[in-house]
Amino acid sequence: MGKREEVRQRTFAEILEAAGRMAEAEGWRAVTIRRIAAEIGYSAPVIYQHFPNKEAVLRTLLERVNGELAQRMRAAVADEPASRGPHLAAVAYLEFARSRPGLYQLMSGAPGTDVDASTRRAAADDVIAFTRQLIGAWAAETSAEPTSVEDACDLLWGTLHGLACIGSIEDIGFDRALRLADQAVTALLGYWSSPTASPEGRPQTAEGEK
């Protein structure tokens, strides 16, 4: 790697890190190209060499933070029984939201994030695909037959997002959100395991899944 490319990559990383730090401290409305430039000691035109606008910075951060979440969820279930997968992934999800509140707000479309819902959904593709695999593996190991793995994925994802929002409320907190998550996941798995949850037989998998 040449020195120029090394400098380019370092500046690129510094821009993203500065934007994340500012958001954690002040919220996403405070993040601007000029503020980022001042934070890392460059002029605004230098930032524009890497990103055309704030939205481009946020899109890149969004892709990276979803990748980090997917990695944490995978690590949480690695070498564990598939029957425990949804519970372990739920804990990893909420611990991520607790440890990265500003970046979680970016994923959730908080005010000032300036990223539309379809872009946020696309950035979460890996997390969604992994969640579907997780539920499919759980169903195969436990002989459960949810009507639709896709519906089950969205229900689990929506439940965890709601609990993450509850966890961010100071007088409730993430310790309580984690206890509620254990109850919620147990209830969802119990419903999907019941005969009445699967009138059409085998779960419908997404295209390409087995």
Side-chain angles (χ1 to χ4, degrees):
M1 180 189 301
K3 186 170 182 60
R4 178 175 295 182
E5 178 60 18
E6 184 179 339
V7 171
R8 189 195 72 80
Q9 290 190 13
R10 184 170 64 248
T11 305
F12 187 89
E14 288 175 350
I15 292 167
L16 296 175
E17 289 167 7
R21 283 197 307 272
M22 291 167 55
E24 295 287 359
E26 304 176 54
W28 288 101
R29 293 189 189 280
V31 180
T32 66
I33 294 296
R34 290 188 179 278
R35 286 287 309 278
I36 293 171
E39 179 77 11
I40 62 177
Y42 288 105
S43 63
V46 172
I47 310 301
Y48 286 120
Q49 290 175 13
H50 298 272
F51 298 96
N53 48 43
K54 173 183 172 179
E55 183 180 353
V57 175
L58 300 193
R59 282 200 307 269
T60 303
L61 274 173
L62 190 59
E63 292 167 0
R64 293 193 171 197
V65 75
N66 273 283
E68 182 182 339
L69 173 57
Q71 186 176 36
R72 289 199 192 190
M73 292 172 71
R74 285 191 173 92
V77 305
D79 302 321
E80 296 288 345
S83 59
R84 289 287 301 153
H87 281 280
L88 296 171
V91 171
Y93 184 103
L94 291 176
E95 289 293 1
F96 174 85
R98 186 200 322 237
S99 65
R100 308 281 264 170
L103 291 172
Y104 186 77
Q105 289 173 8
L106 172 62
M107 296 167 64
S108 306
T113 53
D114 302 327
V115 179
D116 62 68
S118 60
T119 299
R120 287 187 283 111
R121 176 80 180 192
D125 276 350
D126 193 26
V127 174
I128 295 168
F130 175 69
T131 305
R132 288 175 180 165
Q133 292 169 13
L134 194 73
I135 292 171
W138 164 81
E141 183 162 307
T142 62
S143 299
E145 295 185 341
T147 304
S148 166
V149 169
E150 184 174 0
D151 286 355
C153 171
D154 285 348
L155 277 169
L156 180 60
W157 195 24
T159 299
L160 294 178
H161 173 60
L163 289 169
C165 293
I166 288 174
S168 68
I169 300 172
E170 188 172 344
D171 59 351
I172 297 179
F174 275 94
D175 288 341
R176 177 163 172 73
L178 284 162
R179 291 195 300 273
L180 293 174
D182 185 62
Q183 296 177 43
V185 173
T186 297
L188 287 172
L189 298 184
Y191 171 73
W192 296 330
S193 298
S194 68
T196 56
S198 54
E200 298 174 14
R202 297 295 302 170
Q204 301 168 7
T205 57
E207 185 176 352
E209 294 179 2
K210 297 181 178 179

